[in-house]
Amino acid sequence: MPLSIINSFASWVLKQRIHQIELFLKYPNEVQEELLHNLLLASENTVIGKKYDFESIKSYQTFTERVPIASYEELQPLIERTRQGEQGVFWESPIKWFAKSSGTTNAKSKFIPVSNEALEDCHYKGSKDLLCLYLNNNEDSELFLGKSLRLGGSSQIYENNNTFFGDLSAILIENMPIWAEFSSTPSSKTSLMSEWETKIAAIINETKNENVTSFAGVPSWMLVLMNKVLENTGKQSLLELWPNLEVYFHGGVSFSPYKEQYKKILPSKDFKYYEIYNASEGFFAIQDLNNSSDLLLMLDYGIFYEFIPMETFGAADQKVIRLADVELNKNYAIVITTNSGLWRYLIGDTVRFTSLNPYRIRVTGRTKHHINVFGEELMVENTDQAIAKACQITQTEVIDYTVAPIFMQDKEKGAHEWMIEFKQKPADVGLFQKVLDETLQTLNSDYEAKRQNNMTLNPLVINVARENLFYDWLKERDKLGGQHKIPRLSNQRDYLEQLKEMCAVKS
């Protein structure tokens, strides 16, 4: 069958979904209410369903009164029961897949349940809808005349009591439907290779002679691969190698720091960028318009949404609201109830609504300080513990510190830059740096993955602050005393640059 016919047929099939999307666009709150009812009905006979008597819950109000907001640490005992082989704990159907990700306070990694329903009705549905919306906006697309170059993260799958865990991308590739395998490159075998350097070389070798029309993956990882492709082929632009490239589907970390670098290697005004918002817990939102920074919240993926206004987050009077009650341009922490059995789960992300008809959002950050420019999800708990360990080993003390990213420039990889004020400077700053870096890797599996063989992150950089630098910085901003604190981690360099400038002036 000619590729042009396949392209036309695939486009037609995917665009049929537009009518269903229009339904939740027209009746968003009704769709969400019905979804919650169905989730409760499906889980009446689970351990958690019996605990909270799901059978008698007939309203959202009763749901909020019975079921508490939960962090991962609070759900972990139930998740561990299922990981040990017990089923029917928090979801009706058997769960054998768990997406591993880092970021918890009490454990190196989280194990997020991924049900078969979530795979089909959320993650894969989201992937199809991404194509549907793109094709609906670009009638002349020839996406299916070629293939999509995909790049996932760590790919190894581990078994535990007849359940399996690994990176979400590995789980998705392992369960990928035939249509996705047919339209993708590299092969699943190559995508699931474990060793990064070998994997990158294999991907380049397998894809450089393909007709690649799109690519999909996390911006930081993809930029490393694309620069390797140019280095390997001697090309200046990706369009020299793949002249039919038309779109990059991206998500996972903010695209802002990378946009200009992508424009250099994709010098075409017609090339498009489409953003998604997904995570191990689910597929949440999709850019539904060309040249937009707003993401359409997808309301029929088996996920019921609630929101906590950030001005009340964590307070005694914390307020939790439904989608119907959100307001424009306010920051909210997201709470999700899912078809994988996460009940009123606090995912840790914050969003702002840019439109209420339809509901469109922008991801604004995390509920905690963090650095996630390269997908490393570095948390304050990680850095505090690593600082303590480095101080212990080098017999020194730290007064204060802050950390910011060094963004990728051209072919140079990123890194983390620290400003540390020591009470007593360590005799060997290099040893302090080494212990700090290695300890962070033991505490955070995502940071460890990015640092392995310097694949995405170079070794961290330490600036030794002059005496009283942080005190002077706070004083200059009239923020001495009270609850004012040095921002430990930031995804931007503003604080660090200010501190470096003050350090240089008075040093």
Side-chain angles (χ1 to χ4, degrees), residues 21 24-25 28 32 133 277 283-288 294-301 303-307 323 326 334 336 351 353 355 358-362:
I21 292 174
F24 78 67
L25 291 178
Q32 279 281 283
L133 291 165
Y277 170 31
F283 201 123
F284 308 124
I286 301 171
Q287 179 184 328
D288 65 319
D294 301 334
L295 308 180
L296 180 69
L297 193 62
M298 307 303 286
L299 303 178
D300 62 349
Y301 285 4
I303 299 174
F304 179 76
Y305 292 99
E306 296 174 271
F307 302 89
L323 181 64
V326 299
I334 303 179
I336 58 173
V351 299
F353 282 85
S355 167
Y359 288 105
R360 290 197 181 98
I361 61 172
R362 291 189 186 182

Side-chain angles (χ1 to χ4, degrees), residues 119-321:
L119 281 172
E120 292 300 326
D121 300 331
C122 185
H123 291 290
Y124 291 136
K125 190 174 183 178
S127 298
K128 287 186 283 187
D129 282 355
L130 172 62
L131 296 174
C132 167
L133 291 165
Y134 174 76
L135 293 168
N136 194 57
N137 292 330
N138 300 279
E139 294 286 342
D140 58 349
S141 170
E142 297 183 339
L143 201 64
F144 293 104
L145 291 182
K147 294 187 176 183
S148 176
L149 193 163
R150 65 187 181 213
L151 180 65
S154 174
S155 57
Q156 196 162 356
I157 298 289
Y158 302 89
E159 185 174 359
N160 176 67
N161 291 301
N162 294 317
T163 65
F164 303 87
F165 66 90
D167 189 87
L168 176 65
S169 60
I171 293 173
L172 295 179
I173 291 172
E174 187 77 21
N175 293 277
M176 185 178 288
I178 295 174
W179 64 266
E181 172 68 17
F182 174 76
S183 61
S184 301
T185 188
S187 64
S188 292
K189 181 180 179 181
T190 300
S191 296
L192 291 171
M193 292 174 69
S194 298
E195 207 280 314
W196 172 261
E197 296 292 343
T198 306
K199 177 178 176 176
I200 290 298
I203 290 175
I204 294 170
N205 186 58
E206 191 171 326
T207 61
K208 65 183 179 182
N209 295 318
E210 290 276 11
N211 178 25
V212 175
T213 53
S214 68
F215 47 96
V218 176
S220 52
W221 288 60
M222 187 62 77
L223 191 59
V224 172
L225 173 62
M226 294 298 105
N227 282 325
K228 288 280 188 184
V229 167
L230 294 176
E231 184 181 314
N232 179 275
T233 60
K235 307 292 186 184
Q236 297 299 309
S237 158
L238 293 175
L239 296 170
E240 293 178 40
L241 183 63
W242 298 309
N244 297 315
L245 270 173
E246 57 179 80
V247 61
Y248 172 29
F249 301 112
H250 63 87
V253 298
S254 170
F255 188 59
S256 299
Y258 308 102
K259 194 169 185 177
E260 292 306 313
Q261 295 177 67
Y262 275 95
K263 284 183 178 179
K264 288 180 181 178
I265 59 177
L266 287 160
S268 168
K269 293 181 180 179
D270 297 325
F271 189 83
K272 295 177 175 62
Y273 299 90
Y274 261 62
E275 184 176 355
I276 62 171
Y277 170 31
N278 69 337
S280 299
E281 293 87 351
F283 201 123
F284 308 124
I286 301 171
Q287 179 184 328
D288 65 319
L289 300 170
N290 287 340
N291 305 312
S292 173
S293 298
D294 301 334
L295 308 180
L296 180 69
L297 193 62
M298 307 303 286
L299 303 178
D300 62 349
Y301 285 4
I303 299 174
F304 179 76
Y305 292 99
E306 296 174 271
F307 302 89
I308 303 173
M310 283 306 292
E311 62 263 29
T312 70
F313 181 80
D317 61 344
Q318 177 173 282
K319 186 180 179 183
V320 186
I321 61 176

Side-chain angles (χ1 to χ4, degrees), residues 58-75:
K58 305 301 180 185
S59 69
Y60 171 70
Q61 182 66 33
T62 307
F63 176 66
T64 61
E65 291 168 356
R66 295 257 185 96
V67 184
I69 300 293
S71 65
Y72 179 79
E73 288 79 11
E74 290 163 326
L75 291 180

